[in-house]
Each structure stands twice: as C-alpha cells, then as structure tokens.
C-alpha cells in the first residue's frame, strides 16, 4: 500500500512487470530469494521487492578521485602541524628560550622578501590574532587591547616574525585541485623558513621538508624547486 508513489526513490526494486493489455502468462517464474510484493501500476502489474542496500561499486575514476582527496587531506594535516610548530618556535624567540642571532639585518631582509612576494594582504587584525587566537569581531575590546599591547611590546624584528607566520599561514594550498605540487607556493614557503634558520629552525621530520620542496609521495606528480 502506497508503493505506487515510491517507485523512483530507490526503496523498491522491480523484479518483473506484466502489461494488463496483454494476455496474462499461465505461470510466473521468479527466483524467490526475498519477500515479494505485487503492485498495480497504471496499466501493468509489477512484482517488486524492497531494494537491498548493497555497497556501491565505485568506478575507477571515482576510486582515483577519492584517493586524490585523501592525499590532499593528509597534506593539509601536515601543513597544519608545521604551522603550529612554527608559531611555537616564534613564541619561544619572544620568551627568550631561543637566542636572537647577530644576523638581524639578514633576517629582516628575508622576512620582507617573503612578505612582499607572497601577494597576501596583511592587516593589523590578522596580526593581533597571533596573540588572541580569534578574529577581531570575536574579541572583546579588552582582548583586542591586550593583543595589541603584546604586539607593541615586540622589537621590530620580532614583530616582523609575527607577520611572517601570519602570511605563511594564509599563503594558500601547496597543491592544485588535482593534487599536484604548486612550485610557486613552495618557493614562497622556502623563503619563509630560510628566514628562521639563523634561529636554529629545523623541521621535525624529513617528510616536512620534502613536502615544502615538492618531493613528498603524497603529491600526484613528483616535482621540485631549486632549494637555493
């Protein structure tokens, strides 16, 4: 009852159909492997059963696409870890856990080179988020003032390091829609990490560096850039 309105929703599977304008068969031969129902449907009678929820068989194209999407998610997860490590490293510079090297002019030059080549708009609200952990519109006036106070207390070089982190975090995906490495993004990030080397920056895993230069196995096609 009511199944005539559910014939195209995937709930029912048609086993056989008989046209009522024709002579009915003397016998109806069907394989009974499930509970069957009959239904008068316009000028026919259908034998139907409830559709089995079988696992969909993916096409080779769908399998390939799912694999690409999985790899892209893994790359994003690694980049997110690297972002968190970079922020912690810079915070350790502020707190004095990491000594400031003598090459401050070189560091500022590298940071400026990275920022100018990034194409990223750098706003004061985005920089404050480094300290508050929230967007300005999510902060109270007191929280914004506190974040600004921390920023104002930094030396010129250290404030540039905050800008470096913010820009690197917003630089965009290091892969294209197909999962291929994007050398233009890789080169920019190489410049960012180059500026942190005088402080003793090293990647936690070899895989992290291979991701930045395009040699990681997660990319659809191996690529690399001049590390210099």
């Amino acid at each position: 009852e009511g199944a005539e309105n559910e014939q195209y929703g995937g709930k029912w599977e048609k086993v056989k159909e008989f046209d009522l304008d024709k002579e009915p068969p003397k016998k109806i031969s069907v394989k009974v492997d499930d509970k069957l129902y009959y239904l008068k449907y316009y000028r026919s009678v259908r034998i139907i059963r409830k559709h089995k929820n079988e696992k969909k068989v993916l096409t080779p194209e769908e399998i390939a696409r799912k694999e690409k999407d999985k790899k892209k998610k893994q790359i994003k997860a690694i980049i997110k870890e690297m972002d968190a490590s970079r922020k912690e490293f810079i915070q350790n510079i502020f707190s004095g856990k990491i000594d400031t090297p003598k090459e401050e002019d070189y560091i500022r030059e590298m940071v400026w080179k990275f920022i100018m080549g990034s194409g990223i708009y750098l706003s004061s609200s985005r920089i404050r988020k480094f300290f508050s952990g929230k967007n300005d519109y999510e902060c109270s006036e007191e929280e914004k003032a506190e974040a600004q106070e921390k920023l104002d207390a930094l030396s010129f070089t250290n404030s540039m390091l905050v800008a470096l982190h913010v820009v690197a975090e917003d630089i965009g995906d290091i892969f294209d829609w197909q999962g291929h490495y994007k050398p233009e993004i890789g080169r920019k990030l190489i410049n960012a990490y180059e500026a942190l080397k005088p402080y003793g920056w090293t990647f936690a895993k070899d895989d992290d560096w291979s991701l930045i230069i395009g040699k990681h196995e997660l990319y659809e096609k191996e690529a690399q850039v001049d590390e210099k």
Side-chain angles (χ1 to χ4, degrees):
E1 185 178 352
E4 68 273 9
N5 300 319
E6 302 172 330
Q7 290 301 289
Y8 297 101
K11 182 178 179 180
W12 298 97
E13 179 183 354
K14 183 174 69 176
V15 179
K16 282 200 173 183
E17 186 169 13
F18 304 97
D19 190 338
L20 293 177
D21 291 331
K22 297 179 180 178
E23 187 69 21
K26 301 296 182 184
K27 284 185 177 182
I28 297 172
S29 178
V30 293
K31 183 180 178 182
V32 182
D33 58 356
D34 209 341
K35 188 172 182 180
L36 301 177
Y37 304 82
Y38 72 88
L39 168 71
K40 185 176 183 294
Y41 193 71
Y42 295 101
R43 296 298 303 161
S44 69
V45 169
R46 288 183 177 182
I47 297 176
I48 60 175
R49 65 183 171 194
K50 289 185 177 179
H51 200 284
K52 294 179 180 178
N53 293 322
E54 297 177 354
K55 189 174 181 180
K56 181 184 176 184
V57 178
L58 299 177
T59 65
E61 292 78 14
E62 288 173 324
I63 292 172
R65 186 165 61 249
K66 283 177 73 70
E67 184 61 25
K68 283 182 182 180
D69 290 343
K70 179 183 176 182
K71 287 180 178 179
K72 288 191 284 187
K73 285 181 180 178
Q74 287 176 297
I75 292 171
K76 281 190 172 185
I78 295 172
I79 291 291
K80 190 173 181 180
E81 274 189 35
M82 290 166 64
D83 287 344
S85 295
R86 187 181 61 245
K87 183 175 183 178
E88 183 181 5
F89 184 84
I90 292 172
Q91 287 172 327
N92 285 339
I93 294 172
F94 299 164
S95 65
K97 293 180 181 178
I98 296 174
D99 293 333
T100 300
K102 296 177 181 179
E103 309 100 307
E104 281 198 75
D105 288 342
Y106 167 78
I107 292 167
R108 287 194 288 263
E109 182 181 338
M110 289 301 298
V111 173
W112 185 245
K113 177 183 175 182
F114 165 65
I115 292 173
M116 293 301 293
S118 70
I120 300 295
Y121 171 67
L122 191 60
S123 66
S124 56
S125 61
R126 187 68 185 84
I127 294 178
R128 280 193 292 270
K129 188 178 178 182
F130 181 94
F131 296 101
S132 67
K134 297 187 288 186
N135 294 306
D136 264 9
Y137 62 85
E138 299 172 302
C139 294
S140 65
E141 290 302 318
E142 291 78 10
E143 288 172 325
K144 282 195 289 185
E146 183 180 350
Q148 187 63 49
E149 187 178 343
K150 289 179 180 178
L151 179 61
D152 292 341
L154 295 178
S155 68
F156 179 45
T157 303
N158 286 350
S159 64
M160 289 189 73
L161 292 178
V162 174
L164 176 144
H165 173 78
V166 168
V167 171
E169 205 172 37
D170 286 349
I171 203 71
D173 289 331
I174 198 169
F175 54 82
D176 63 17
W177 67 277
Q178 290 183 312
H180 298 141
Y181 173 67
K182 291 170 72 174
E184 65 275 17
I185 299 297
R187 290 189 186 98
K188 291 173 183 178
L189 289 175
I190 287 171
N191 288 337
Y193 287 111
E194 189 69 26
L196 296 177
K197 278 186 178 180
Y199 292 95
W201 169 269
T202 56
F203 289 92
K205 304 171 186 174
D206 290 341
D207 272 2
D208 293 348
W209 180 239
S210 67
L211 196 78
I212 295 296
I213 63 175
K215 293 182 179 180
H216 203 286
E217 61 183 9
L218 288 174
Y219 291 118
E220 282 302 303
K221 184 178 181 181
E222 185 175 342
Q224 55 184 296
V225 297
D226 184 355
E227 298 175 27
K228 297 179 181 179

